[in-house]
Amino acid sequence: MPINTYSSTLIRTSRAVSRGEAKKAAAAAAANSTAFASPFPASSSSRAVHSAAAAGLGGLPAAVAPVLRSQPVVEASKGLVSNLQLRLRSHLLASSPLRNPNFAASISLYRAGSSFSASSLASPAGARFVAAAGSAASRLSIRDFSTMGSSGNPFDTVLTDLPKPGGGIYGKYYSLPKLNDKRIDKLPYSIRYLLESAVRNCDNFQVLEKDVEKIIDWEKTSPQQVEIPFKPARVLLQDFTGVPAVVDLAAMRDAIKRLGGDPTKINPLIPVDLVIDHSVQVDVARRPNALKSNMELEFGRNKERFAFLKWGATAFRNMLVVPPGSGIVHQVNLEYLARVVFNNEGILYPDSLVGTDSHTTMIDGLGVAGWGVGGIEAEASMLGQPMSMVLPGVVGFKLTGKLKTGVTATDLVLTVTQMLRKHGVVGKFVEFYGEGMGQLALADRATIANMSPEYGATMGFFPVDSVTLDYLRLTGRGDEKVDMVEAYLRANNLFIDHDEPHEENVYSSYLSLDLNTVEPCVSGPKRPHDRVTLKEMKADWHSCLDSKVGFKGFGIPKEEQGAVAKFDYHGEPAELKHGDVVIAAITSCTNTSNPTVMLGAGLVAKKAAEKGLFVKPWIKTSLAPGSGVVTKYLAESGLNKYLDEQGFSLVGYGCTTCIGNSGELDETVSTTIADNDIVAAAVLSGNRNFEGRVHPLTRANYLASPPLVVAYALAGTVDIDFQTEPIGTGKDGNPVFLRDIWPTSEEIAEVEKKAVLPTMFRETYEAITKGNLMWNDLPAPEGDLYEWDPQSTYVHDPPFFKSMSKDPPGGHGVKDAFCLLNFGDSITTDHISPAGNIAKESPAAKYLVSKGVDRKDFNSYGSRRGNDEIMARGTFANIRIVNKFLEGEVGPKTIHVPTKEKMFIYDAAMKYREEGLDTIILAGAEYGSGSSRDWAAKGPYLQGVKAVIAKSFERIHRSNLVGMGIIPLCFKEGEDAETLGLTGYERYTIDLPTDVKEIKPGQDVVVKTDNGKEFTCVIRFDTAVELTYFEHGGILHYVLRQLLHS
Ligand code: SF4
C-alpha cells in the first residue's frame, strides 16, 4: 500500500559550509581544552573531541539578546500594543487572526516606530516581553535565571569562551571536554545533559561535586539507584496544572508583602511557559463556525481560570502565557518555545525542561531534555530549586534502514511503543542512535518522543544533529541562532555528526529496529501498545468481539455480532453495528505537528471526494491542530477544502479528543448505541485510548495516523480489510479501495515542499503573542498582587503562608499525635488526591452547594485545583480508598479516635485541627505511587498531617511531602504496622530537635506510643537541602524567605 514516509528534503537545507568550518574550529578548541585543570584526576590525555568554535556564525538574534543579556534597552511604552488597538484592528480583520494571512503584516504596522521589530517576536524571549508588556514591561529587562551558573562554583575552571568566527565570542560555557575525563566520552548524550547541568550549577550545597562524580561514573552508579540533583533550564505548564502553580506564586506575593518585603521579588527564577490548551471541547463539529463556537463555549466555562492566568501573564516576570485558541503545548514548544541552547547573560547552556504534562517528552525529539513531573517539582524548579532524581539507566535504541513507502511516523511510533513496553523501560531514558536516525525527519522523531509515557520511559531522546538544525531553520529560528546552537553543541560534545566516525556510547541495555520492517498499523482497541497491522485488523477485530471482556475483548456472543441498529438521523435513514466508527478525530500534538501525515490526510480526503466518496454525516469528525501553522499549510495546499467537505473542519487549536474533550455525540447516535449496546468505535490520531478516555460511548478506540483516520471515517467501520474490501462505491459505480485514494510518497513530498514554509511559522507565532479577540476582551485584574475574589469557587487564596514568620520556625517533632488513617500497601496519588468527579454527598460537594453552585456545575476535582478549599475536602476522597480503621468497608471515611466516631476523613482531620491535635498516617509499601500530583502532598498538609510512617514511598511523592514540610519516616526493613502490633488507636510521639543541624539525612529516630511501645524508623530527609526545607516548613517557605532577605 503506497503510504508515504515523511520527506525531509524540504528541511534539509545544506549547511555544509557552516558545519565544515565548525569542524575545523574543533581542532583548535580541543587543543585548548587540556590547558585547564580538572577537578577530577585526568584519566586520559588523548580524546576525540568535537569541541568546536563553530563557524558561519553571528550573534544572537537582535531581539533575543537585549532581553537575555539584561540590557535595559527595551522601552516599554514604545513596544506596547494596547488591547484597544488590537481589538480595533482585529475587528477590521477576519474573525480568526491565525487564519488571516494579512494579520502578521498588520502587526508589524503597529510596531512602526517601536524599539523592537516584527522579527523580534520570532523568539520566545520576545514573546515574553510582549505578553507582559501591558503592566510591567520595564521589569522585563532583568533576567535573573537561576540556572546560569553559581557563584563559588568549583568548576569555574572549565568555563570557556565560545569564539565566533570573524572575532568575538558567543559567550562562555562549562566545557565537558575540559573535565578531561575519558568516561564522559562514552556517556549517553542524555546523561551528558544531566552532567552539564550539575557542573554548571555546582555550589556544594544544592549540587555537590560528588553529584558530578556520580554522573560521570554513570556506568557504575546508575544500576545502584543513586539520586542526583537536576536543575532544568525552564518549566512548561498547561492550564490544568498551571493554575495551582500560579495560585501559589500569587499567595507568595501576598505573604512577602505581609512580611514587609517587595512582592515583585516573587517571580519564576527560570523561564516558565504556560500554554492554555486543555480546556477546549468539541461541542460543535462539522460546521464552518465550529472554531468560533467552541472557543466561545470554552471561554464561557473557564472565564474565572482564564482571567486569573491572564493576570499572571502580566504580573510575573519570566512567565509567558499562550492564550487559549493558539495551539497545543507540546507543538508550540517544538515549533516555537524551545531554545535548544540558551545564551543567558553570556553563559551558554543546553535547553532542558520539566513540564506538568506527561507528554512534555515530545521536545526530546528536538534534542531538548524534558519530561513530565508533578506540580511541586515544577514549582520548586521554577523557583530555582534542584529536583532530586534517580540517575537513570539508558536504553540505547539503534535505528537502521529507512521506512519503506507506505509507512508513516505513526506506524513507526506504535511499533516502537510495543517494542519498548515489552523491553521494560519504566524509570529509564531511551536514547535513539544509528544511521537510521539520520533518515528520520524531526517531526517523526517528535512523534516517537511524544509517546514516551506510553512506552513507560522518562524520556525518549534524540540528540541534536543536522536534521535538528534544519528543522530550527524551517521553523524560523534564524540562521544566526542555529549557528550558535551548532557551535555550542559541537564544542561541548553534545552534537551527533552522522558523517563522522565515532565510538558507540555505552548504554544500560540495547534494542534495535530496521525501519524497513515497520508496517502500516493501528493500536487498540483499548491500549496504545496493542498494535495491530492493517492486514490483520479485520481478523483482530473479530477476535476482540469474541474474546471475553478485557484489554482485547468485548465478549459479544457470536449470534449478536452481526446485529444492525437502524435509526433516523435527522430525516436520513441510518444504521449502526459493532465496529462502526462514530468519532474520527485528527487530534493530538503527537501527529498534528507532523506535516507529512497532516497533508497525507488532506490528500486522502481530496482523492475520496474526487471519486465521490464522503464520510457519513452521523460520524463526529474533527480537526484540531496544535498550531496555526497547520491551518496555513493546509490552506496553501488547498487541501483544507477537501477536509472540510469530508467533515474534518477546524474545531479548535487544543487538546480536544486526545484528552477526552470530544464533546457529546448527536443524541440519535448516542441513544442508538446505548439502547442496542453497540460496541462503537473511535479512530483518532492521539496517543492514549484507555476505555472511557475518548468518549464514554466508544468502547473500541484505535490510534491511527491522520490519513488512516480519514480512511476509517470514509469506510465507516473498523471491521474492514483494506486490502480486499472496498471503502465504498465511487460516483461511477465502481468499488473504491484504499489504494485508490492513498497518495504516493512523491505526491506528499511535492505538496509539502510547496506548502510548508518558514514564513508560516514566523507569522503564526507573531500572531499568538498578540492574543486573540476573546482573550484580549476578557477582563482580568491588574497589579502586582492578585485581588482574590471571595465568590470564586475555582481560584482561592490558599493558607500556605498565612502564619509565616520572617525567620524559619526550625524543625519540629510530633507530640501525642492521633492516627488519621491506617493504610495498607499501594495507596496511590489518585487515592490521596482524586482528579475525577465530586461525589454529591462529599465534603467538597457540601462546600460547593453552600457557595450556591448547582450540582450540574460541580465539574471535577481536577478542574478546581486552583481552590484549596475544594482540594482539602477532596483529599483522600477517593470512593475506593481502603482504610484499615473501617475493617473492610471501602470509602473516604475514618474513625475519629477520641470519640470512636466514623466520619468523612476531611471532617475528622478538621476536628483534630480545631482541637490543636497533631495527626500522622500509617501506610504500607509504595505509598504515593501513580502520577505525581502536588495535591497529594498539599492536601494532607491542609488536613494537618505532620508525618507519614510507611514501609516505602514512591520517590517523587516522598520529595513532595518534604516540600510541604511533612516528615516521611520508613519502618525498618522487615517491619510494618502489623508486625509491630500497631492498631492506629495509639498516640504517637516523635522527638526531633528544633535545630535541624542536629539531624542527619537518613538517620534513625525512635517513635514512641502512649501504650509503651517504641520502634525505630529511618527519617527520609535524604539530603541536607531537604533538611533545610524542613527547617523552613517547606520548600516554598524556604524560597520565600530567601527572597525576603535578599
Ligand atoms: S494533545 Fe494530547 S498529548 Fe498533546 S498535550 Fe494535549 S492531551 Fe497531551
Side-chain angles (χ1 to χ4, degrees):
M1 199 177 305
I3 306 178
N4 280 336
T5 58
Y6 182 91
S7 162
S8 59
T9 49
L10 174 69
I11 60 170
R12 293 200 182 171
T13 317
S14 169
R15 299 292 302 168
V17 174
S18 151
R19 282 201 283 276
E21 288 172 4
K23 283 182 196 173
K24 271 190 238 159
N32 199 21
S33 72
T34 50
F36 290 76
S38 165
F40 298 116
S43 54
S44 169
S45 58
S46 67
R47 289 171 301 113
V49 179
H50 289 289
S51 57
L57 314 158
L60 278 169
V64 182
V67 183
L68 293 184
R69 291 181 183 149
S70 296
Q71 300 299 318
V73 297
V74 180
E75 293 172 59
S77 59
K78 286 186 190 171
L80 264 170
V81 181
S82 74
N83 280 351
L84 176 62
Q85 281 175 304
L86 186 62
R87 278 202 298 275
L88 285 171
R89 186 65 186 169
S90 297
H91 280 302
L92 297 175
L93 296 167
S95 60
S96 168
L98 295 183
R99 301 192 71 179
N100 190 316
N102 297 320
F103 188 74
S106 71
I107 287 173
S108 45
L109 290 179
Y110 279 126
R111 295 211 198 88
S114 75
S115 62
F116 57 99
S117 68
S119 65
S120 74
L121 293 175
S123 78
R128 205 173 306 280
F129 169 75
V130 173
S135 72
S138 57
R139 281 190 253 124
L140 292 168
S141 59
I142 305 163
R143 303 286 288 193
D144 45 5
F145 299 168
S146 68
T147 53
M148 42 185 274
S150 314
S151 56
N153 185 333
F155 294 99
D156 279 351
T157 50
V158 298
L159 201 52
T160 305
D161 287 349
L162 183 65
K164 275 184 191 178
I169 59 166
Y170 285 115
K172 289 179 180 292
Y173 68 101
Y174 286 85
S175 168
L176 300 185
K178 283 184 181 164
L179 291 174
N180 202 20
D181 193 314
K182 206 169 181 188
R183 290 172 296 176
I184 297 172
D185 297 340
K186 292 202 281 176
L187 288 178
Y189 286 90
S190 46
I191 297 299
R192 295 182 204 183
Y193 277 66
L194 302 182
L195 175 62
E196 192 283 338
S197 170
V199 166
R200 175 167 33 91
N201 290 296
C202 185
D203 58 359
N204 274 327
F205 174 58
Q206 292 185 332
V207 182
L208 311 177
E209 279 176 86
K210 69 179 182 196
D211 294 320
V212 173
E213 169 59 20
K214 277 187 219 166
I215 302 173
I216 292 179
D217 207 25
W218 168 85
E219 210 179 328
K220 291 205 187 100
T221 51
S222 62
Q224 297 165 17
Q225 297 282 300
V226 299
E227 296 219 5
I228 55 153
F230 175 61
K231 284 188 161 194
R234 61 189 172 97
V235 170
L236 187 71
L237 307 171
Q238 37 94 330
D239 52 315
F240 268 21
T241 49
V243 169
V246 180
V247 163
D248 286 349
L249 290 175
M252 287 174 79
R253 280 204 165 171
D254 291 346
I256 202 168
K257 179 157 194 289
R258 207 163 40 241
L259 294 169
D262 175 5
T264 62
K265 281 186 178 175
I266 302 289
N267 290 291
L269 295 179
I270 57 175
V272 174
D273 302 310
L274 191 161
V275 180
I276 304 177
D277 63 351
H278 272 54
S279 300
V280 62
Q281 297 187 15
V282 191
D283 292 295
V284 180
R286 303 192 74 152
R287 300 270 182 284
N289 66 344
L291 173 70
K292 186 165 176 284
S293 303
N294 289 326
M295 275 184 75
E296 281 168 359
L297 287 162
E298 178 191 6
F299 270 77
R301 286 190 191 109
N302 295 286
K303 58 178 181 292
E304 277 180 42
R305 295 164 64 238
F306 288 178
F308 175 66
L309 292 174
K310 192 171 174 184
W311 167 79
T314 57
F316 293 109
R317 199 165 63 219
N318 296 334
M319 178 174 282
L320 169 70
V321 175
V322 176
S326 305
I328 302 174
V329 58
H330 307 308
Q331 187 165 343
V332 173
N333 192 21
L334 190 71
E335 293 177 349
Y336 178 62
L337 297 170
R339 284 74 159 176
V340 187
V341 173
F342 272 84
N343 184 344
N344 181 17
E345 296 190 359
I347 299 291
L348 305 171
Y349 53 93
D351 191 0
S352 61
L353 71 153
V354 291
T356 53
D357 187 277
S358 49
H359 294 99
T360 300
T361 51
M362 189 165 188
I363 206 61
D364 301 320
L366 193 67
V368 174
W371 57 88
V373 295
I376 290 182
E377 297 97 297
E379 285 180 35
S381 295
M382 76 172 74
L383 293 167
Q385 300 306 299
M387 268 176 44
S388 182
M389 64 183 286
V390 171
L391 185 60
V394 183
V395 177
F397 197 121
K398 187 169 187 175
L399 297 169
T400 58
K402 196 176 173 193
L403 287 175
K404 62 187 177 219
T405 282
V407 178
T408 63
T410 323
D411 301 323
L412 172 59
V413 72
L414 297 179
T415 306
V416 167
T417 299
Q418 191 180 43
M419 287 177 72
L420 286 168
R421 265 276 156 199
K422 203 164 154 203
H423 188 76
V425 293
V426 173
K428 296 192 174 116
F429 289 174
V430 174
E431 185 169 299
F432 295 91
Y433 71 105
E435 88 274 7
M437 174 183 149
Q439 299 296 325
L440 284 181
L442 197 291
D444 296 352
R445 299 175 183 187
T447 301
I448 294 170
N450 174 288
M451 286 186 70
S452 301
E454 281 65 44
Y455 42 80
T458 304
M459 67 171 180
F461 189 72
F462 286 86
V464 173
D465 63 4
S466 61
V467 174
T468 324
L469 301 179
D470 290 337
Y471 181 81
L472 293 176
R473 290 189 187 91
L474 172 74
T475 48
R477 263 78 169 206
D479 281 349
E480 288 185 8
K481 163 83 182 174
V482 180
D483 290 341
M484 181 273 281
V485 167
E486 182 179 3
Y488 167 78
L489 293 173
R490 278 186 184 273
N492 226 4
N493 278 1
L494 297 170
F495 186 86
I496 288 196
D497 191 330
H498 298 289
D499 299 334
E500 283 187 348
H502 53 267
E503 206 184 324
E504 272 197 7
N505 298 333
V506 172
Y507 294 107
S508 312
S509 61
Y510 297 82
L511 273 177
S512 68
L513 174 68
D514 178 354
L515 297 174
N516 191 44
T517 62
V518 177
E519 289 192 47
C521 56
V522 296
S523 273
K526 302 183 186 184
R527 294 189 304 188
H529 51 283
D530 287 332
R531 189 178 68 97
V532 190
T533 60
L534 275 201
K535 61 183 185 225
E536 292 166 335
M537 181 61 182
K538 190 173 174 84
D540 192 80
W541 171 252
H542 283 275
S543 150
C544 287
L545 286 180
D546 287 340
S547 302
K548 67 176 197 286
V549 175
F551 291 122
K552 290 290 282 184
F554 297 104
I556 305 293
K558 268 266 187 274
E559 63 280 10
E560 292 174 20
Q561 290 181 8
V564 177
K566 296 192 182 293
F567 66 106
D568 179 278
Y569 180 76
H570 304 283
E572 194 176 330
E575 60 179 45
L576 283 178
K577 52 189 184 322
H578 297 306
D580 277 2
V581 175
V582 294
I583 289 177
I586 301 177
T587 181
S588 183
C589 53
T590 317
N591 284 293
T592 67
S593 54
N594 193 329
T596 301
V597 290
M598 297 302 281
L599 291 166
L603 285 167
V604 170
K606 176 174 186 268
K607 284 165 178 275
E610 286 167 351
K611 289 200 173 286
L613 281 193
F614 292 94
V615 176
K616 294 182 183 79
W618 55 86
I619 298 178
K620 188 166 186 180
T621 41
S622 59
L623 167 67
S627 87
V629 174
V630 179
T631 318
K632 283 188 167 65
Y633 65 66
L634 287 176
E636 180 74 21
S637 65
L639 294 172
N640 57 339
K641 169 173 170 282
Y642 300 101
L643 285 165
D644 281 340
E645 279 179 17
Q646 298 292 1
F648 289 94
S649 307
L650 185 65
V651 293
Y653 296 97
C655 298
T656 65
T657 307
C658 183
I659 197 175
N661 289 349
S662 46
E664 294 300 329
L665 295 173
D666 186 89
E667 206 182 328
T668 61
V669 175
S670 48
T671 308
T672 307
I673 295 172
D675 290 353
N676 298 279
D677 206 15
I678 301 277
V679 183
V683 184
L684 67 153
S685 58
N687 51 31
R688 284 186 176 166
N689 52 350
F690 306 116
E691 199 165 1
R693 178 177 170 101
V694 174
H695 193 284
L697 289 173
T698 56
R699 284 154 69 189
N701 299 284
Y702 284 95
L703 307 179
S705 66
L708 279 179
V709 170
V710 179
Y712 276 111
L714 287 161
T717 179
V718 296
D719 184 5
I720 183 169
D721 178 348
F722 280 134
Q723 283 188 326
T724 58
E725 294 178 280
I727 284 179
T729 305
K731 58 189 174 194
D732 57 4
N734 290 322
V736 178
F737 289 84
L738 182 61
R739 56 183 169 267
D740 300 326
I741 58 169
W742 203 264
T744 65
S745 302
E746 291 70 31
E747 274 177 284
I748 297 184
E750 178 85 357
V751 175
E752 193 170 336
K753 197 168 172 186
K754 288 188 190 143
V756 186
L757 307 169
T759 49
M760 293 173 175
F761 292 88
R762 284 194 209 106
E763 287 170 9
T764 298
Y765 290 105
E766 283 172 10
I768 68 166
T769 62
K770 307 311 297 175
N772 54 52
L773 205 56
M774 290 181 212
W775 177 257
N776 294 335
D777 278 347
L778 181 73
E782 289 186 357
D784 294 329
L785 298 175
Y786 184 68
E787 288 167 31
W788 303 95
D789 175 2
Q791 300 312 316
S792 173
T793 54
Y794 278 96
V795 177
H796 185 263
D797 183 9
F800 302 133
F801 314 105
K802 292 273 194 256
S803 55
M804 188 177 157
S805 56
K806 280 188 179 178
D807 296 315
H812 63 83
V814 173
K815 179 84 181 135
D816 288 329
F818 284 96
C819 178
L820 178 65
L821 294 156
N822 186 2
F823 288 134
D825 292 348
S826 298
I827 290 294
T828 68
T829 49
D830 203 52
H831 290 120
I832 306 170
S833 55
N837 285 346
I838 298 172
K840 62 181 180 190
E841 298 305 333
S842 65
K846 286 182 198 147
Y847 169 83
L848 285 170
V849 168
S850 77
K851 292 282 177 185
V853 178
D854 268 2
R855 194 148 285 162
K856 69 175 172 40
D857 297 325
F858 276 3
N859 218 329
S860 61
Y861 284 113
S863 69
R864 292 186 180 275
R865 285 176 189 166
N867 186 335
D868 58 280
E869 294 280 0
I870 305 280
M871 295 314 294
R873 288 164 173 80
T875 302
F876 302 115
N878 189 309
I879 55 169
R880 292 190 194 89
I881 203 163
V882 177
N883 170 18
K884 289 187 207 165
F885 273 131
L886 297 190
E887 297 174 351
E889 186 183 328
V890 175
K893 297 204 172 166
T894 194
I895 300 295
H896 178 249
V897 173
T899 60
K900 308 283 187 299
E901 214 184 313
K902 184 166 76 177
M903 59 182 75
F904 279 113
I905 294 167
Y906 172 78
D907 292 337
M910 289 306 106
K911 221 164 156 41
Y912 286 124
R913 282 199 74 157
E914 280 158 19
E915 292 159 7
L917 299 168
D918 284 353
T919 51
I920 58 130
I921 290 172
L922 294 175
E926 296 175 354
Y927 181 75
S929 53
S931 311
S932 168
R933 290 202 186 132
D934 58 337
W935 274 105
K938 286 175 176 168
Y941 169 91
L942 290 172
Q943 291 190 351
V945 174
K946 295 288 185 298
V948 179
I949 310 175
K951 267 182 97 168
S952 63
F953 291 92
E954 191 279 336
R955 183 180 60 82
I956 295 174
H957 184 63
R958 183 203 62 81
S959 77
N960 281 346
L961 290 174
V962 174
M964 291 308 297
I966 296 174
I967 307 165
L969 294 158
C970 273
F971 290 111
K972 283 282 186 178
E973 187 69 35
E975 292 183 351
D976 59 22
E978 304 229 332
T979 62
L980 292 166
L982 303 172
T983 63
Y985 285 90
E986 308 82 0
R987 297 187 75 171
Y988 295 79
T989 296
I990 307 162
D991 286 324
L992 288 176
T994 313
D995 184 355
V996 297
K997 289 193 197 71
E998 293 174 26
I999 308 172
K1000 290 205 170 45
Q1003 75 166 57
D1004 285 353
V1005 296
V1006 174
V1007 182
K1008 296 177 186 159
T1009 63
D1010 62 344
N1011 61 7
K1013 277 201 170 96
E1014 280 190 13
F1015 55 97
T1016 304
C1017 287
V1018 175
I1019 198 159
R1020 288 297 312 276
F1021 295 123
D1022 289 357
T1023 63
V1025 177
E1026 289 189 348
L1027 279 164
T1028 306
Y1029 297 156
F1030 178 55
E1031 179 184 25
H1032 281 261
I1035 190 169
L1036 300 180
H1037 298 75
Y1038 165 75
V1039 175
L1040 209 157
R1041 288 195 185 94
Q1042 298 302 303
L1043 293 168
L1044 178 68
H1045 297 305
S1046 68

